[in-house]
């Protein structure tokens, strides 16, 4: 582990005008390394470098297949250095080492997928009758400003960079101050792939300084953000001042509806993946289980068994896929989640298991299952962003849909039943951008992802995401 990490601007490593900040290992509370912190001047240099790339045509003049091959090469670099990158990611973020490896594989998959898509962006011919030729072109916006969260710093940055560059944009990426170190490997991947200098710029800085300077910069043409609703609103306002389009992937309070005919043995695996992956720090986590009242007690018991079987400790010691869970990203995040559990207990809910900070060094929270939760409680309405599952009973299908749709969010939802008609009815009525049937997190890089309501707008992943990075130009020619 190197002791000092710099920003990457215009294909060069650079210090930051805002000094340095310590990056903490959440499994121990010890400082891992120092990170250069960018200020507004650093942001301006990065944006200017990206603008030069766009205006020079050095990226857009390439044949799309050539650009796509460079995007794919970034993914291969990550895979070739997977062990080194995974250890850095685990040490700074906390997730088990096997989850870190999987995140790197997913990041590489984005580069593979969008690299393949680069030469599929085509316009169309529009018939206007004799004497005219009319057609459309899909052109990149220019400079894509991307603000990346700390929960999946490599994977989320990869999906934005890959789609942006494949479409011909230059990117300026602002990482989280909690997890900036692993993002340096994306910069190294860009260099290894041979991308023109200034195509990918990666810097870390405080949100109120570097983040605000980036999204309000008059030189950007598009903003992409994943994170909290509050920050997303601030970014949308800043972008609106410059009439810049946004893609916002915000929070969620996603519900799994478990009917009386569900396969509960299989559902135990969905609980493990849905709420305890990355210590519950997932926008699309299965944070609510709505279960038919006839199965309520059994599902509580099964969920407690899943939580109790988890081996909780430092991520670097959890190398094999299975039952391990690491710390939360920081003690502040852990304390916030624990406080929400305590508030729910005061409101009448019960921690069937877990719910407390663990009495060991690091930002560890016990895997938690909450019972006696009512739909109007804060624990059922607000995003915990931690390993806390709320279980709520329902009488019938109509009430289940009502409870599932009863929050301000609408990111994902799930239905667990052997009745396909019931599942498709629910899929039509659920207010969510993605609906899983009988498997939480079904889908992949190819499937569009994004929210309804306060979960944001625009789509990440899939073909739909690629279209976020281009705009349509019409060319009308009079031929006689």
């Amino acid at each position: 582990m190197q002791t000092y990490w710099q920003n990457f601007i215009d294909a060069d490593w650079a210090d930051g005008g805002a000094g340095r900040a310590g990056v903490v290992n959440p499994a121990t509370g010890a400082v891992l390394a120092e990170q250069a912190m960018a200020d507004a001047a650093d942001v301006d240099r990065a944006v200017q470098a990206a603008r030069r790339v766009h205006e020079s045509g050095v990226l857009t003049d390439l044949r799309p297949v050539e650009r796509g091959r460079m995007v794919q090469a970034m993914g291969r670099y990550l895979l070739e250095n997977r062990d080194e990158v995974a250890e850095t990611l685990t040490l700074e973020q906390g997730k088990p080492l096997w989850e870190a490896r999987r995140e790197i594989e997913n990041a590489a998959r984005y580069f593979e997928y969008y690299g393949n898509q680069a030469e599929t962006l085509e316009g169309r011919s529009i018939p206007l009758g004799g004497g005219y030729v009319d057609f459309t072109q899909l052109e990149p916006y220019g400079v894509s400003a991307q603000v990346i969260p700390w929960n999946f710093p490599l994977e989320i940055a990869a999906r934005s960079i890959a789609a942006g560059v494949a479409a011909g944009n230059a990117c300026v990426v602002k990482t989280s101050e909690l997890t900036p170190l692993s993002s340096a490997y994306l910069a190294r991947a860009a260099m290894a792939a041979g991308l023109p200098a200034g195509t990918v710029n990666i810097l870390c800085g405080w949100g109120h300084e570097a983040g605000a300077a980036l999204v309000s910069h008059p030189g950007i043409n598009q903003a992409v953000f994943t994170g909290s609703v509050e920050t997303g609103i601030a970014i949308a306002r800043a972008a609106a001042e410059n009439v810049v389009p946004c893609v916002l992937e915000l929070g969620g309070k996603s519900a799994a509806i478990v009917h009386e005919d569900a396969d509960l043995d299989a559902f135990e695996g969905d609980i493990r993946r849905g709420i305890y992956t990355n210590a519950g720090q997932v926008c699309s986590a299965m944070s609510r289980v709505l279960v038919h009242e006839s199965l309520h007690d059994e599902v509580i018991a099964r969920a407690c068994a899943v939580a109790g079987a988890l081996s909780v400790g430092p991520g670097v010691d959890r190398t094999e896929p299975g039952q391990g869970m690491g710390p939360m990203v920081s003690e502040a995040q852990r304390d916030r989640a624990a406080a929400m559990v305590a508030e729910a207990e005061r409101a009448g809910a019960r921690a069937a298991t877990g719910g407390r900070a663990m009495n060991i060094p690091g930002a560890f929270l016990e895997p938690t299952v909450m019972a006696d939760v009512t739909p109007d409680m804060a624990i059922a309405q607000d995003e915990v962003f931690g390993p806390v599952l709320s279980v709520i009973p329902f009488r019938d299908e109509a009430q289940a849909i009502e409870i599932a749709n009863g929050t301000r969010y609408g990111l994902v939802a799930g239905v667990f039943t052997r009745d396909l008609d019931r599942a498709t009815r629910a899929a039509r009525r659920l207010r969510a951008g993605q609906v899983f049937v009988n498997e939480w997190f079904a889908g992949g890089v190819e499937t569009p992802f994004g929210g309804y309501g306060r979960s944001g707008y625009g789509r990440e992943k899939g073909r739909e995401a690629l279209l976020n990075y281009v705009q349509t130009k019409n060319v009308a020619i009079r031929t006689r």
Side-chain angles (χ1 to χ4, degrees), residues 212 215-218 220 223 233-246:
V215 298
S216 62
H217 197 290
I220 70 168
I233 291 170
I235 286 175
R237 285 173 178 160
E241 291 289 331
N242 290 325
V243 197
V244 169
C246 286

Side-chain angles (χ1 to χ4, degrees), residues 81-168:
N81 295 275
R82 175 170 47 190
D83 290 344
E84 180 182 349
V85 182
E87 183 176 5
T88 301
L89 177 57
T90 289
L91 289 172
E92 69 171 344
Q93 202 277 339
K95 65 186 60 183
L97 194 60
W98 68 269
E99 287 188 17
R101 292 191 184 113
R102 186 162 295 172
E103 178 172 345
I104 293 160
E105 292 166 0
N106 291 342
R109 177 73 180 106
Y110 280 110
F111 288 113
E112 178 186 40
Y113 178 77
Y114 287 115
N116 280 328
Q117 293 279 319
E119 55 186 322
T120 69
L121 286 169
E122 300 173 339
R124 62 190 179 97
S125 174
I126 301 173
L128 293 180
Y132 294 94
V133 173
D134 191 281
F135 59 91
T136 64
Q137 297 175 326
L138 299 180
E139 297 186 347
Y141 278 106
V143 177
S144 175
Q146 303 172 356
V147 181
I148 306 301
W150 47 258
N151 58 333
F152 291 93
L154 270 176
E155 185 173 344
I156 293 175
R159 77 185 185 192
S160 298
I161 294 171
V165 175

Side-chain angles (χ1 to χ4, degrees), residues 381-439:
Q381 290 288 319
D382 299 332
E383 188 174 37
V384 178
F385 221 61
V388 179
L389 177 68
S390 295
V391 182
I392 304 171
F394 66 83
R395 285 187 315 274
D396 53 33
E397 187 176 326
Q399 187 186 37
I401 299 294
E402 180 183 1
I403 296 171
N405 289 340
T407 75
R408 61 181 182 169
Y409 297 108
L411 192 54
V412 305
V415 185
F416 292 82
T417 177
R418 291 183 171 88
D419 186 335
L420 187 57
D421 288 339
R422 172 188 277 164
T424 54
R425 282 197 306 271
R428 286 194 299 269
R429 296 174 61 194
L430 286 165
R431 292 185 62 257
Q434 189 171 30
V435 177
F436 305 126
V437 176
N438 292 334
E439 182 185 327

